[in-house]
Amino acid sequence: MDKEQLKIQMMDYLSGSMHEDEMNEFEKVLQDNPALQMEMQALMDTWDRMGNLKTPEPSEAMDATFFDMLSNEMDKQHQKSASKKFPLWLWPFPKAQWVFGLLLLSLGIAVGYFLNSNSEEIPVDNVVVNEETESVRQKLVLTLLEQPSANQRLQGVSEANKFEDADEIVIRALLQTLNQDSNVNVRLAAIESLTNYVDQPVVRQGLVQSIPNQESPILQITLANLMVALQEKASIEPFRQLLQERKLDTTVQKKIKNSIESII
Amino acid sequence: MLMLKVKSGDLDKLGLLYERHKKRLFGFFYNLGNNPSVSEDLVQNVFVRMLKYRSSYAGNGSFAAWMFRMARNVNYDYHKKAARNKIAAGTDPEDVHVVTDGFSDKADMEDKAYQIKRAMAQLPDEKRELLVLSKYREMKFKEIGETIGCSEGAAKVRVHRALKELRNIFLQLETV
C-alpha cells in the first residue's frame, strides 16, 4: 500500500467513514505495524484534543442586521421590477413616434398641471411598488410562521408588524399563531402584532375567542389587560369560563376578576 | 434548492438559508481565530455576497461547499484589508497577523481551549481552514474537496498533513 493511500485510510478511520469490513482489515494492518499504530494513535489524540475548543453562539444583533439587509434588498428588487414592467406589445412602434408621443404627453401634463394646480398629486409608482413589497412581505411572513424554529416564527411576527395595513390572510395567520403556536414568546408577539388592528371586528373577535385557549399566565394577563383597554364586553364570558379552570394561577384569577369588573 | 429559488428572484428564501447556516458560518470564522464581533460581521458579508453573486450559483454541487468557498474569500479579503490598514497606520509588518485576534483572550489562559487556540494560530492559514472545516464544521471530505478545489482523496491527504503539523506544534508548545 503506498503512503498516500495509507493517509487516506487513516483519515477514513479517524472520521468514522469506513465500512465495518474495511475497518477490521485496517485494524489488522495497524496491529501488524506498531509504528503506524503509534502514528494513528497520535492523530486520534490530536483530533480528540481539538474537541476541547468551544464555539460561542452568535448574538441576536446578527439576526437583526441580516434581516434588515434582506428586507432592504427585497425592497430594492421590487422597485427595480416595478420600473422594468413595460408593455412589450408597444415596442413595434418606431422610436421617433415614441419620442414625439412622450413630448406631447409631457406638454399635456405641463398644461394640465398649470390649469389644475390645486388638485392632489397621486404617486402612482409608489403605490405599485408598495403593493408589491407588501405582497412579498406577506409571503415572507407566512413562510416564516410555518418554520419549526421559534426564532424564525418570531421573525415572522416581527415582519408582520411592518405592514401598513395587514390583509385578511396575514391576520388569519397571526390569529392561528396566537391559538396554536407551541412557544409562549411567539404567541405573545402575535398578540402585540394584532393590537395594531383592533379596529377590525375580525381581530377583536379572534382575540376574544383565543382567551379560553391560553394556558400561560403571562398570555392570560396580557389578554386581560388588552380587553380592559378595549372595553370589550364580549370577553367577559370567556374570562368567566377561564375562572372555572382549577389550574388557574391565583394572581391570574385576581387579575381576571378585576378585569371583568372594569369592563362591566 | 433554496439557493436556486433565491437565484430566480425569491429573495425571502435567503432568510431560511441564513437560519440554517448562520451558526455553522459563525463557528467557521470564530474557529479561524476571529473574535465574535468580527465573526458576525463576516457572516453578514457572506450573505451579502450570496445575494450579489447569486447568478453564479449553478446548483450542481453541494451548497455548503459553495457557501464555504465564499466564506474563505470573505475571510481572506477581510484580513488582507486589515493588514493593509495596520501597515498604513505605522504598525511593523512583522507584527501584523490579525488572524489571531480571538486567540489573544487572556481570560482563558489557563483553559485547555487556550492551548488549542495557540496551536491553531501557529498553523498556516490553509491548514487551519482544513482542520476547521473537517473537525469543527463537520464537512465531508468530498465537500471539503469541492470547497478548496481538489479531489476527495487529496482533501483527506491534506487534512492528514494539517493534523500531523498540529500534533507537532502541540509537542513543541509542551516542551517550551
mmCIF file of all heavy atoms in Angstrom, chain B residues 40-85:
data_model
loop_
_atom_site.group_PDB
_atom_site.id
_atom_site.type_symbol
_atom_site.label_atom_id
_atom_site.label_comp_id
_atom_site.label_asym_id
_atom_site.label_seq_id
_atom_site.Cartn_x
_atom_site.Cartn_y
_atom_site.Cartn_z
ATOM 1 N N GLU B 40 -19.289 37.818 13.381
ATOM 2 C CA GLU B 40 -20.672 38.154 12.999
ATOM 3 C C GLU B 40 -20.685 39.039 11.749
ATOM 4 O O GLU B 40 -21.507 38.840 10.849
ATOM 5 C CB GLU B 40 -21.380 38.867 14.151
ATOM 6 C CG GLU B 40 -21.674 37.918 15.299
ATOM 7 C CD GLU B 40 -22.535 38.532 16.391
ATOM 8 O OE1 GLU B 40 -22.890 39.729 16.291
ATOM 9 O OE2 GLU B 40 -22.849 37.814 17.358
ATOM 10 N N ASP B 41 -19.756 39.994 11.698
ATOM 11 C CA ASP B 41 -19.680 40.869 10.503
ATOM 12 C C ASP B 41 -19.371 40.041 9.264
ATOM 13 O O ASP B 41 -19.913 40.285 8.183
ATOM 14 C CB ASP B 41 -18.581 41.923 10.679
ATOM 15 C CG ASP B 41 -18.983 42.993 11.678
ATOM 16 O OD1 ASP B 41 -20.173 43.017 12.044
ATOM 17 O OD2 ASP B 41 -18.109 43.770 12.102
ATOM 18 N N LEU B 42 -18.474 39.063 9.436
ATOM 19 C CA LEU B 42 -18.068 38.265 8.271
ATOM 20 C C LEU B 42 -19.218 37.365 7.794
ATOM 21 O O LEU B 42 -19.391 37.161 6.593
ATOM 22 C CB LEU B 42 -16.811 37.442 8.593
ATOM 23 C CG LEU B 42 -15.569 38.286 8.917
ATOM 24 C CD1 LEU B 42 -14.352 37.399 9.192
ATOM 25 C CD2 LEU B 42 -15.224 39.252 7.791
ATOM 26 N N VAL B 43 -20.028 36.864 8.739
ATOM 27 C CA VAL B 43 -21.205 36.073 8.345
ATOM 28 C C VAL B 43 -22.111 36.948 7.474
ATOM 29 O O VAL B 43 -22.594 36.543 6.419
ATOM 30 C CB VAL B 43 -21.994 35.583 9.588
ATOM 31 C CG1 VAL B 43 -23.318 34.943 9.176
ATOM 32 C CG2 VAL B 43 -21.170 34.593 10.386
ATOM 33 N N GLN B 44 -22.296 38.183 7.949
ATOM 34 C CA GLN B 44 -23.118 39.144 7.200
ATOM 35 C C GLN B 44 -22.566 39.335 5.784
ATOM 36 O O GLN B 44 -23.308 39.313 4.803
ATOM 37 C CB GLN B 44 -23.082 40.476 7.979
ATOM 38 C CG GLN B 44 -24.028 41.507 7.477
ATOM 39 C CD GLN B 44 -25.462 41.189 7.867
ATOM 40 O OE1 GLN B 44 -25.711 40.294 8.660
ATOM 41 N NE2 GLN B 44 -26.390 41.871 7.274
ATOM 42 N N ASN B 45 -21.229 39.493 5.698
ATOM 43 C CA ASN B 45 -20.606 39.703 4.387
ATOM 44 C C ASN B 45 -20.838 38.519 3.453
ATOM 45 O O ASN B 45 -21.012 38.700 2.252
ATOM 46 C CB ASN B 45 -19.089 39.916 4.538
ATOM 47 C CG ASN B 45 -18.785 41.242 5.184
ATOM 48 O OD1 ASN B 45 -19.676 42.062 5.366
ATOM 49 N ND2 ASN B 45 -17.528 41.460 5.559
ATOM 50 N N VAL B 46 -20.831 37.308 4.021
ATOM 51 C CA VAL B 46 -21.051 36.126 3.179
ATOM 52 C C VAL B 46 -22.444 36.201 2.546
ATOM 53 O O VAL B 46 -22.608 35.978 1.343
ATOM 54 C CB VAL B 46 -20.914 34.821 3.999
ATOM 55 C CG1 VAL B 46 -21.334 33.612 3.162
ATOM 56 C CG2 VAL B 46 -19.488 34.639 4.478
ATOM 57 N N PHE B 47 -23.446 36.569 3.355
ATOM 58 C CA PHE B 47 -24.806 36.603 2.805
ATOM 59 C C PHE B 47 -24.992 37.757 1.829
ATOM 60 O O PHE B 47 -25.742 37.639 0.860
ATOM 61 C CB PHE B 47 -25.841 36.622 3.940
ATOM 62 C CG PHE B 47 -26.031 35.254 4.534
ATOM 63 C CD1 PHE B 47 -25.350 34.862 5.665
ATOM 64 C CD2 PHE B 47 -26.851 34.322 3.904
ATOM 65 C CE1 PHE B 47 -25.492 33.577 6.183
ATOM 66 C CE2 PHE B 47 -26.993 33.041 4.407
ATOM 67 C CZ PHE B 47 -26.320 32.662 5.546
ATOM 68 N N VAL B 48 -24.283 38.858 2.083
ATOM 69 C CA VAL B 48 -24.336 39.964 1.114
ATOM 70 C C VAL B 48 -23.761 39.483 -0.220
ATOM 71 O O VAL B 48 -24.321 39.732 -1.293
ATOM 72 C CB VAL B 48 -23.556 41.193 1.642
ATOM 73 C CG1 VAL B 48 -23.369 42.238 0.551
ATOM 74 C CG2 VAL B 48 -24.274 41.806 2.828
ATOM 75 N N ARG B 49 -22.656 38.729 -0.147
ATOM 76 C CA ARG B 49 -22.045 38.213 -1.384
ATOM 77 C C ARG B 49 -22.946 37.191 -2.069
ATOM 78 O O ARG B 49 -23.011 37.123 -3.287
ATOM 79 C CB ARG B 49 -20.697 37.560 -1.083
ATOM 80 C CG ARG B 49 -19.608 38.574 -0.976
ATOM 81 C CD ARG B 49 -18.245 37.951 -1.107
ATOM 82 N NE ARG B 49 -17.255 38.903 -0.650
ATOM 83 C CZ ARG B 49 -15.964 38.748 -0.808
ATOM 84 N NH1 ARG B 49 -15.501 37.673 -1.392
ATOM 85 N NH2 ARG B 49 -15.128 39.659 -0.379
ATOM 86 N N MET B 50 -23.614 36.383 -1.241
ATOM 87 C CA MET B 50 -24.526 35.385 -1.836
ATOM 88 C C MET B 50 -25.575 36.087 -2.689
ATOM 89 O O MET B 50 -25.918 35.623 -3.772
ATOM 90 C CB MET B 50 -25.238 34.609 -0.732
ATOM 91 C CG MET B 50 -24.440 33.470 -0.196
ATOM 92 S SD MET B 50 -25.533 32.570 0.922
ATOM 93 C CE MET B 50 -24.349 31.575 1.752
ATOM 94 N N LEU B 51 -26.075 37.206 -2.157
ATOM 95 C CA LEU B 51 -27.082 37.950 -2.924
ATOM 96 C C LEU B 51 -26.469 38.553 -4.180
ATOM 97 O O LEU B 51 -27.040 38.476 -5.271
ATOM 98 C CB LEU B 51 -27.636 39.087 -2.066
ATOM 99 C CG LEU B 51 -28.821 38.762 -1.177
ATOM 100 C CD1 LEU B 51 -29.251 39.995 -0.410
ATOM 101 C CD2 LEU B 51 -30.014 38.269 -2.004
ATOM 102 N N LYS B 52 -25.284 39.114 -3.996
ATOM 103 C CA LYS B 52 -24.626 39.804 -5.107
ATOM 104 C C LYS B 52 -24.274 38.826 -6.237
ATOM 105 O O LYS B 52 -24.420 39.145 -7.410
ATOM 106 C CB LYS B 52 -23.369 40.488 -4.560
ATOM 107 C CG LYS B 52 -22.794 41.534 -5.491
ATOM 108 C CD LYS B 52 -21.672 42.276 -4.792
ATOM 109 C CE LYS B 52 -20.937 43.166 -5.763
ATOM 110 N NZ LYS B 52 -19.739 43.729 -5.153
ATOM 111 N N TYR B 53 -23.771 37.664 -5.857
ATOM 112 C CA TYR B 53 -23.304 36.710 -6.876
ATOM 113 C C TYR B 53 -24.245 35.520 -7.035
ATOM 114 O O TYR B 53 -23.818 34.433 -7.400
ATOM 115 C CB TYR B 53 -21.893 36.222 -6.514
ATOM 116 C CG TYR B 53 -20.886 37.341 -6.423
ATOM 117 C CD1 TYR B 53 -20.322 37.693 -5.205
ATOM 118 C CD2 TYR B 53 -20.540 38.066 -7.561
ATOM 119 C CE1 TYR B 53 -19.418 38.753 -5.112
ATOM 120 C CE2 TYR B 53 -19.643 39.118 -7.482
ATOM 121 C CZ TYR B 53 -19.081 39.453 -6.253
ATOM 122 O OH TYR B 53 -18.202 40.495 -6.175
ATOM 123 N N ARG B 54 -25.525 35.720 -6.697
ATOM 124 C CA ARG B 54 -26.459 34.583 -6.738
ATOM 125 C C ARG B 54 -26.574 33.970 -8.131
ATOM 126 O O ARG B 54 -26.859 32.790 -8.274
ATOM 127 C CB ARG B 54 -27.835 34.975 -6.204
ATOM 128 C CG ARG B 54 -28.544 36.084 -6.953
ATOM 129 C CD ARG B 54 -29.837 36.402 -6.213
ATOM 130 N NE ARG B 54 -30.640 37.419 -6.845
ATOM 131 C CZ ARG B 54 -30.528 38.719 -6.623
ATOM 132 N NH1 ARG B 54 -29.605 39.165 -5.786
ATOM 133 N NH2 ARG B 54 -31.315 39.585 -7.232
ATOM 134 N N SER B 55 -26.332 34.784 -9.159
ATOM 135 C CA SER B 55 -26.454 34.245 -10.527
ATOM 136 C C SER B 55 -25.349 33.231 -10.812
ATOM 137 O O SER B 55 -25.467 32.428 -11.728
ATOM 138 C CB SER B 55 -26.419 35.374 -11.539
ATOM 139 O OG SER B 55 -25.251 36.106 -11.351
ATOM 140 N N SER B 56 -24.244 33.264 -10.022
ATOM 141 C CA SER B 56 -23.138 32.327 -10.272
ATOM 142 C C SER B 56 -23.426 30.948 -9.665
ATOM 143 O O SER B 56 -22.682 30.002 -9.887
ATOM 144 C CB SER B 56 -21.831 32.878 -9.690
ATOM 145 O OG SER B 56 -21.849 32.756 -8.284
ATOM 146 N N TYR B 57 -24.509 30.828 -8.890
ATOM 147 C CA TYR B 57 -24.806 29.527 -8.270
ATOM 148 C C TYR B 57 -25.432 28.600 -9.305
ATOM 149 O O TYR B 57 -26.510 28.875 -9.833
ATOM 150 C CB TYR B 57 -25.756 29.710 -7.080
ATOM 151 C CG TYR B 57 -26.061 28.415 -6.367
ATOM 152 C CD1 TYR B 57 -25.086 27.778 -5.620
ATOM 153 C CD2 TYR B 57 -27.313 27.813 -6.464
ATOM 154 C CE1 TYR B 57 -25.348 26.572 -4.980
ATOM 155 C CE2 TYR B 57 -27.586 26.619 -5.821
ATOM 156 C CZ TYR B 57 -26.594 26.009 -5.077
ATOM 157 O OH TYR B 57 -26.846 24.816 -4.446
ATOM 158 N N ALA B 58 -24.722 27.493 -9.587
ATOM 159 C CA ALA B 58 -25.200 26.588 -10.638
ATOM 160 C C ALA B 58 -26.103 25.494 -10.065
ATOM 161 O O ALA B 58 -26.925 24.928 -10.778
ATOM 162 C CB ALA B 58 -24.012 25.969 -11.354
ATOM 163 N N GLY B 59 -25.937 25.190 -8.796
ATOM 164 C CA GLY B 59 -26.801 24.184 -8.170
ATOM 165 C C GLY B 59 -26.370 22.757 -8.463
ATOM 166 O O GLY B 59 -27.107 21.824 -8.155
ATOM 167 N N ASN B 60 -25.196 22.577 -9.093
ATOM 168 C CA ASN B 60 -24.802 21.196 -9.413
ATOM 169 C C ASN B 60 -23.834 20.599 -8.394
ATOM 170 O O ASN B 60 -23.399 19.472 -8.540
ATOM 171 C CB ASN B 60 -24.212 21.109 -10.824
ATOM 172 C CG ASN B 60 -23.176 22.187 -11.058
ATOM 173 O OD1 ASN B 60 -22.746 22.836 -10.097
ATOM 174 N ND2 ASN B 60 -22.781 22.402 -12.298
ATOM 175 N N GLY B 61 -23.480 21.357 -7.375
ATOM 176 C CA GLY B 61 -22.598 20.797 -6.328
ATOM 177 C C GLY B 61 -23.253 20.999 -4.974
ATOM 178 O O GLY B 61 -24.427 21.330 -4.892
ATOM 179 N N SER B 62 -22.460 20.781 -3.927
ATOM 180 C CA SER B 62 -23.016 20.973 -2.586
ATOM 181 C C SER B 62 -23.138 22.481 -2.295
ATOM 182 O O SER B 62 -22.234 23.258 -2.579
ATOM 183 C CB SER B 62 -22.068 20.306 -1.583
ATOM 184 O OG SER B 62 -21.964 21.047 -0.417
ATOM 185 N N PHE B 63 -24.291 22.864 -1.701
ATOM 186 C CA PHE B 63 -24.481 24.272 -1.347
ATOM 187 C C PHE B 63 -23.454 24.690 -0.303
ATOM 188 O O PHE B 63 -22.888 25.777 -0.361
ATOM 189 C CB PHE B 63 -25.900 24.515 -0.819
ATOM 190 C CG PHE B 63 -26.069 25.882 -0.222
ATOM 191 C CD1 PHE B 63 -26.141 26.998 -1.040
ATOM 192 C CD2 PHE B 63 -26.096 26.064 1.155
ATOM 193 C CE1 PHE B 63 -26.261 28.275 -0.496
ATOM 194 C CE2 PHE B 63 -26.203 27.330 1.703
ATOM 195 C CZ PHE B 63 -26.299 28.431 0.873
ATOM 196 N N ALA B 64 -23.199 23.777 0.664
ATOM 197 C CA ALA B 64 -22.246 24.097 1.743
ATOM 198 C C ALA B 64 -20.869 24.410 1.160
ATOM 199 O O ALA B 64 -20.198 25.347 1.608
ATOM 200 C CB ALA B 64 -22.156 22.946 2.720
ATOM 201 N N ALA B 65 -20.461 23.644 0.136
ATOM 202 C CA ALA B 65 -19.144 23.881 -0.465
ATOM 203 C C ALA B 65 -19.109 25.265 -1.121
ATOM 204 O O ALA B 65 -18.144 26.017 -0.968
ATOM 205 C CB ALA B 65 -18.840 22.805 -1.495
ATOM 206 N N TRP B 66 -20.180 25.624 -1.814
ATOM 207 C CA TRP B 66 -20.261 26.947 -2.476
ATOM 208 C C TRP B 66 -20.218 28.050 -1.419
ATOM 209 O O TRP B 66 -19.512 29.040 -1.549
ATOM 210 C CB TRP B 66 -21.563 27.006 -3.279
ATOM 211 C CG TRP B 66 -21.754 28.250 -4.070
ATOM 212 C CD1 TRP B 66 -21.126 28.592 -5.240
ATOM 213 C CD2 TRP B 66 -22.653 29.335 -3.777
ATOM 214 N NE1 TRP B 66 -21.582 29.813 -5.683
ATOM 215 C CE2 TRP B 66 -22.520 30.292 -4.806
ATOM 216 C CE3 TRP B 66 -23.563 29.596 -2.746
ATOM 217 C CZ2 TRP B 66 -23.258 31.464 -4.840
ATOM 218 C CZ3 TRP B 66 -24.293 30.777 -2.782
ATOM 219 C CH2 TRP B 66 -24.136 31.699 -3.815
ATOM 220 N N MET B 67 -20.969 27.819 -0.327
ATOM 221 C CA MET B 67 -21.033 28.822 0.743
ATOM 222 C C MET B 67 -19.666 28.988 1.423
ATOM 223 O O MET B 67 -19.210 30.114 1.655
ATOM 224 C CB MET B 67 -22.081 28.364 1.760
ATOM 225 C CG MET B 67 -22.256 29.280 2.937
ATOM 226 S SD MET B 67 -23.532 28.661 4.051
ATOM 227 C CE MET B 67 -22.635 27.379 4.915
ATOM 228 N N PHE B 68 -19.002 27.872 1.714
ATOM 229 C CA PHE B 68 -17.714 27.978 2.404
ATOM 230 C C PHE B 68 -16.606 28.501 1.486
ATOM 231 O O PHE B 68 -15.655 29.124 1.962
ATOM 232 C CB PHE B 68 -17.321 26.646 3.044
ATOM 233 C CG PHE B 68 -17.961 26.444 4.387
ATOM 234 C CD1 PHE B 68 -18.926 25.476 4.578
ATOM 235 C CD2 PHE B 68 -17.624 27.251 5.463
ATOM 236 C CE1 PHE B 68 -19.531 25.306 5.812
ATOM 237 C CE2 PHE B 68 -18.222 27.098 6.702
ATOM 238 C CZ PHE B 68 -19.179 26.117 6.874
ATOM 239 N N ARG B 69 -16.765 28.280 0.171
ATOM 240 C CA ARG B 69 -15.799 28.904 -0.761
ATOM 241 C C ARG B 69 -15.909 30.411 -0.635
ATOM 242 O O ARG B 69 -14.919 31.134 -0.565
ATOM 243 C CB ARG B 69 -16.135 28.478 -2.201
ATOM 244 C CG ARG B 69 -15.187 27.432 -2.728
ATOM 245 C CD ARG B 69 -15.167 27.304 -4.226
ATOM 246 N NE ARG B 69 -16.431 27.367 -4.911
ATOM 247 C CZ ARG B 69 -17.225 26.332 -5.164
ATOM 248 N NH1 ARG B 69 -16.877 25.140 -4.731
ATOM 249 N NH2 ARG B 69 -18.354 26.467 -5.829
ATOM 250 N N MET B 70 -17.149 30.883 -0.566
ATOM 251 C CA MET B 70 -17.388 32.317 -0.423
ATOM 252 C C MET B 70 -16.862 32.799 0.931
ATOM 253 O O MET B 70 -16.248 33.858 1.037
ATOM 254 C CB MET B 70 -18.886 32.549 -0.515
ATOM 255 C CG MET B 70 -19.245 33.732 -1.334
ATOM 256 S SD MET B 70 -20.984 33.667 -1.712
ATOM 257 C CE MET B 70 -20.906 33.580 -3.470
ATOM 258 N N ALA B 71 -17.110 31.993 1.968
ATOM 259 C CA ALA B 71 -16.669 32.363 3.323
ATOM 260 C C ALA B 71 -15.146 32.470 3.388
ATOM 261 O O ALA B 71 -14.600 33.374 4.026
ATOM 262 C CB ALA B 71 -17.174 31.334 4.325
ATOM 263 N N ARG B 72 -14.445 31.573 2.713
ATOM 264 C CA ARG B 72 -12.968 31.614 2.693
ATOM 265 C C ARG B 72 -12.501 32.919 2.052
ATOM 266 O O ARG B 72 -11.591 33.583 2.536
ATOM 267 C CB ARG B 72 -12.405 30.448 1.885
ATOM 268 C CG ARG B 72 -12.497 29.112 2.571
ATOM 269 C CD ARG B 72 -11.989 28.035 1.659
ATOM 270 N NE ARG B 72 -10.542 27.966 1.631
ATOM 271 C CZ ARG B 72 -9.821 27.658 0.548
ATOM 272 N NH1 ARG B 72 -10.415 27.419 -0.597
ATOM 273 N NH2 ARG B 72 -8.506 27.600 0.621
ATOM 274 N N ASN B 73 -13.152 33.278 0.937
ATOM 275 C CA ASN B 73 -12.766 34.526 0.264
ATOM 276 C C ASN B 73 -13.040 35.743 1.135
ATOM 277 O O ASN B 73 -12.249 36.675 1.198
ATOM 278 C CB ASN B 73 -13.536 34.677 -1.058
ATOM 279 C CG ASN B 73 -13.073 33.660 -2.081
ATOM 280 O OD1 ASN B 73 -11.949 33.160 -2.002
ATOM 281 N ND2 ASN B 73 -13.931 33.331 -3.029
ATOM 282 N N VAL B 74 -14.196 35.708 1.828
ATOM 283 C CA VAL B 74 -14.559 36.832 2.706
ATOM 284 C C VAL B 74 -13.507 36.971 3.810
ATOM 285 O O VAL B 74 -13.039 38.073 4.115
ATOM 286 C CB VAL B 74 -15.972 36.596 3.315
ATOM 287 C CG1 VAL B 74 -16.217 37.496 4.518
ATOM 288 C CG2 VAL B 74 -17.045 36.841 2.266
ATOM 289 N N ASN B 75 -13.104 35.840 4.386
ATOM 290 C CA ASN B 75 -12.103 35.864 5.452
ATOM 291 C C ASN B 75 -10.764 36.384 4.929
ATOM 292 O O ASN B 75 -10.121 37.239 5.541
ATOM 293 C CB ASN B 75 -11.932 34.451 6.019
ATOM 294 C CG ASN B 75 -11.119 34.445 7.289
ATOM 295 O OD1 ASN B 75 -11.449 35.145 8.239
ATOM 296 N ND2 ASN B 75 -10.038 33.681 7.305
ATOM 297 N N TYR B 76 -10.389 35.891 3.755
ATOM 298 C CA TYR B 76 -9.119 36.308 3.157
ATOM 299 C C TYR B 76 -9.131 37.820 2.891
ATOM 300 O O TYR B 76 -8.184 38.529 3.265
ATOM 301 C CB TYR B 76 -8.905 35.524 1.856
ATOM 302 C CG TYR B 76 -7.696 35.956 1.079
ATOM 303 C CD1 TYR B 76 -6.411 35.566 1.469
ATOM 304 C CD2 TYR B 76 -7.831 36.773 -0.043
ATOM 305 C CE1 TYR B 76 -5.295 35.993 0.770
ATOM 306 C CE2 TYR B 76 -6.727 37.193 -0.753
ATOM 307 C CZ TYR B 76 -5.456 36.800 -0.348
ATOM 308 O OH TYR B 76 -4.361 37.225 -1.040
ATOM 309 N N ASP B 77 -10.208 38.305 2.287
ATOM 310 C CA ASP B 77 -10.299 39.744 1.956
ATOM 311 C C ASP B 77 -10.264 40.606 3.216
ATOM 312 O O ASP B 77 -9.623 41.647 3.249
ATOM 313 C CB ASP B 77 -11.593 40.043 1.190
ATOM 314 C CG ASP B 77 -11.550 39.461 -0.210
ATOM 315 O OD1 ASP B 77 -10.461 39.020 -0.628
ATOM 316 O OD2 ASP B 77 -12.609 39.418 -0.871
ATOM 317 N N TYR B 78 -10.974 40.135 4.258
ATOM 318 C CA TYR B 78 -11.016 40.912 5.498
ATOM 319 C C TYR B 78 -9.610 41.066 6.079
ATOM 320 O O TYR B 78 -9.187 42.158 6.456
ATOM 321 C CB TYR B 78 -11.934 40.239 6.521
ATOM 322 C CG TYR B 78 -11.779 40.803 7.914
ATOM 323 C CD1 TYR B 78 -12.300 42.056 8.243
ATOM 324 C CD2 TYR B 78 -11.056 40.122 8.889
ATOM 325 C CE1 TYR B 78 -12.116 42.601 9.496
ATOM 326 C CE2 TYR B 78 -10.870 40.650 10.157
ATOM 327 C CZ TYR B 78 -11.407 41.893 10.453
ATOM 328 O OH TYR B 78 -11.215 42.435 11.701
ATOM 329 N N HIS B 79 -8.858 39.958 6.137
ATOM 330 C CA HIS B 79 -7.534 40.010 6.761
ATOM 331 C C HIS B 79 -6.522 40.754 5.902
ATOM 332 O O HIS B 79 -5.620 41.407 6.430
ATOM 333 C CB HIS B 79 -7.070 38.600 7.123
ATOM 334 C CG HIS B 79 -7.860 38.059 8.266
ATOM 335 N ND1 HIS B 79 -7.792 38.584 9.522
ATOM 336 C CD2 HIS B 79 -8.793 37.077 8.321
ATOM 337 C CE1 HIS B 79 -8.624 37.951 10.315
ATOM 338 N NE2 HIS B 79 -9.255 37.032 9.601
ATOM 339 N N LYS B 80 -6.722 40.669 4.593
ATOM 340 C CA LYS B 80 -5.827 41.408 3.700
ATOM 341 C C LYS B 80 -6.024 42.911 3.942
ATOM 342 O O LYS B 80 -5.071 43.668 4.079
ATOM 343 C CB LYS B 80 -6.191 41.051 2.251
ATOM 344 C CG LYS B 80 -5.091 41.327 1.252
ATOM 345 C CD LYS B 80 -5.454 40.708 -0.068
ATOM 346 C CE LYS B 80 -5.376 41.742 -1.152
ATOM 347 N NZ LYS B 80 -5.929 41.285 -2.423
ATOM 348 N N LYS B 81 -7.297 43.296 4.037
ATOM 349 C CA LYS B 81 -7.619 44.706 4.234
ATOM 350 C C LYS B 81 -7.145 45.177 5.621
ATOM 351 O O LYS B 81 -6.565 46.253 5.763
ATOM 352 C CB LYS B 81 -9.139 44.889 4.120
ATOM 353 C CG LYS B 81 -9.565 46.312 3.887
ATOM 354 C CD LYS B 81 -11.059 46.354 3.665
ATOM 355 C CE LYS B 81 -11.562 47.789 3.758
ATOM 356 N NZ LYS B 81 -13.004 47.853 3.826
ATOM 357 N N ALA B 82 -7.380 44.332 6.631
ATOM 358 C CA ALA B 82 -6.988 44.692 7.997
ATOM 359 C C ALA B 82 -5.470 44.844 8.092
ATOM 360 O O ALA B 82 -4.962 45.769 8.735
ATOM 361 C CB ALA B 82 -7.469 43.641 8.980
ATOM 362 N N ALA B 83 -4.733 43.932 7.421
ATOM 363 C CA ALA B 83 -3.271 44.002 7.455
ATOM 364 C C ALA B 83 -2.802 45.283 6.770
ATOM 365 O O ALA B 83 -1.905 45.973 7.262
ATOM 366 C CB ALA B 83 -2.687 42.784 6.751
ATOM 367 N N ARG B 84 -3.467 45.625 5.647
ATOM 368 C CA ARG B 84 -3.089 46.837 4.912
ATOM 369 C C ARG B 84 -3.318 48.070 5.780
ATOM 370 O O ARG B 84 -2.496 48.954 5.857
ATOM 371 C CB ARG B 84 -3.932 46.923 3.639
ATOM 372 C CG ARG B 84 -3.163 47.488 2.480
ATOM 373 C CD ARG B 84 -3.860 47.349 1.156
ATOM 374 N NE ARG B 84 -5.299 47.450 1.215
ATOM 375 C CZ ARG B 84 -6.114 46.630 0.564
ATOM 376 N NH1 ARG B 84 -5.620 45.635 -0.137
ATOM 377 N NH2 ARG B 84 -7.414 46.790 0.621
ATOM 378 N N ASN B 85 -4.460 48.077 6.475
ATOM 379 C CA ASN B 85 -4.774 49.222 7.342
ATOM 380 C C ASN B 85 -3.765 49.357 8.475
ATOM 381 O O ASN B 85 -3.368 50.452 8.845
ATOM 382 C CB ASN B 85 -6.170 49.068 7.947
ATOM 383 C CG ASN B 85 -7.239 49.252 6.907
ATOM 384 O OD1 ASN B 85 -6.959 49.764 5.814
ATOM 385 N ND2 ASN B 85 -8.446 48.819 7.200
#
